[in-house]
């Protein structure tokens, strides 16, 4: 329950935002598959309640309930595909298109219909958005301001509303956005 963001630190000590999780998603090391060290840090964005499963119990669950093992494998495969798509975007798309894609992805995951538009109600500091897009906070802020001036989004302290999803998808290149769903 609650909002969690996953962060990984670079060798230079810079934090990189990897993902934002909604209630029900799992995180942590899959040590049952050989990873002995957690490679990410989970940071609470809101009050949270987390269920922790130790290595021995996790292995028992995977062995006794093959459907759970398949589900874990499915989630892992989806995360790998998402990582590969993120690498493709970072190496081929402009920052403007990357930020548009991130907003669309977050709207698919967290968006709720509201009078402002498709509301993403979670803390999304410009630094976090910049980290996800592989750019500076200043550049992310300029692009978000431009999106707001163009009537694509509205923003508040703890929310972003996508006002014109079709136009934002056009900025992001619609075929890329659909592949993230």
């Amino acid at each position: 329950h609650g909002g969690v963001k996953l962060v990984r630190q670079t060798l230079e000590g810079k934090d990189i935002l990897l993902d934002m999780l909604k209630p029900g998603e799992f995180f942590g090391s899959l040590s049952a598959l050989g990873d002995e060290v957690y490679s990410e840090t989970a940071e609470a964005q809101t009050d949270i309640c987390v269920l922790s499963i130790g290595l021995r119990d996790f292995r028992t669950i995977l062995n006794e309930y093959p459907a759970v093992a398949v589900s874990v494998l499915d989630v892992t495969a989806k995360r790998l595909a998402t990582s590969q798509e993120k690498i493709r975007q970072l190496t081929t798309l402009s920052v403007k298109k990357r930020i548009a894609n991130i907003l669309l992805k977050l709207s698919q995951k967290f968006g709720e219909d509201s009078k402002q538009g498709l509301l993403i109600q979670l803390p999304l500091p410009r630094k976090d958005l910049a980290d996800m897009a592989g750019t500076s906070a200043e550049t992310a802020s300029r692009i978000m301001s431009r999106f707001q001036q163009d009537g694509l989004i509205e923003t508040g302290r703890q929310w972003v509303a996508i006002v014109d999803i079709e136009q934002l998808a056009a900025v992001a290149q619609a075929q890329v956005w659909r592949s993230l769903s």
Side-chain angles (χ1 to χ4, degrees), residues 31-72:
S31 21
L33 300 177
D35 190 7
E36 297 294 327
V37 179
Y38 292 120
S39 55
E40 295 108 18
T41 298
E43 296 179 6
Q45 292 188 289
T46 62
D47 288 339
I48 62 169
C49 179
V50 178
L51 171 64
S52 174
I53 302 173
L55 175 59
R56 185 174 300 142
D57 292 335
F58 187 61
R59 282 179 178 252
T60 299
I61 290 169
L62 293 178
N63 286 327
E64 291 184 16
Y65 301 96
V68 173
V70 169
S71 292
V72 169

Side-chain angles (χ1 to χ4, degrees), residues 29-135:
S29 177
L30 293 176
S31 21
L33 300 177
D35 190 7
E36 297 294 327
V37 179
Y38 292 120
S39 55
E40 295 108 18
T41 298
E43 296 179 6
Q45 292 188 289
T46 62
D47 288 339
I48 62 169
C49 179
V50 178
L51 171 64
S52 174
I53 302 173
L55 175 59
R56 185 174 300 142
D57 292 335
F58 187 61
R59 282 179 178 252
T60 299
I61 290 169
L62 293 178
N63 286 327
E64 291 184 16
Y65 301 96
V68 173
V70 169
S71 292
V72 169
L73 187 58
D74 288 345
V75 169
T76 303
K78 186 173 181 180
R79 286 184 182 171
L80 177 59
T82 299
S83 294
Q84 291 171 336
E85 175 61 20
K86 186 171 185 172
I87 290 167
R88 189 197 66 76
Q89 288 183 13
L90 287 170
T91 58
T92 63
L93 298 182
S94 68
V95 176
K96 181 178 178 181
K97 289 180 180 184
R98 292 193 309 253
I99 290 177
N101 271 291
I102 290 165
L103 291 174
L104 291 167
K105 181 180 175 189
L106 291 173
S107 74
Q108 288 175 326
K109 193 171 188 177
F110 299 102
E112 303 169 5
D113 287 325
S114 74
K115 60 185 173 188
Q116 289 99 347
L118 194 53
L119 185 63
I120 305 166
Q121 222 171 348
L122 51 95
L124 188 60
R126 295 299 187 254
K127 182 193 176 311
D128 286 354
L129 186 60
D131 286 348
M132 292 174 80
T135 192

Side-chain angles (χ1 to χ4, degrees), residues 5 44 49 51 57 77 96 138-140 156 163 166 174 180:
K5 67 180 180 179
C49 179
L51 171 64
D57 292 335
K96 181 178 178 181
E138 295 79 14
T139 299
V163 177
E166 290 83 15
L180 295 174

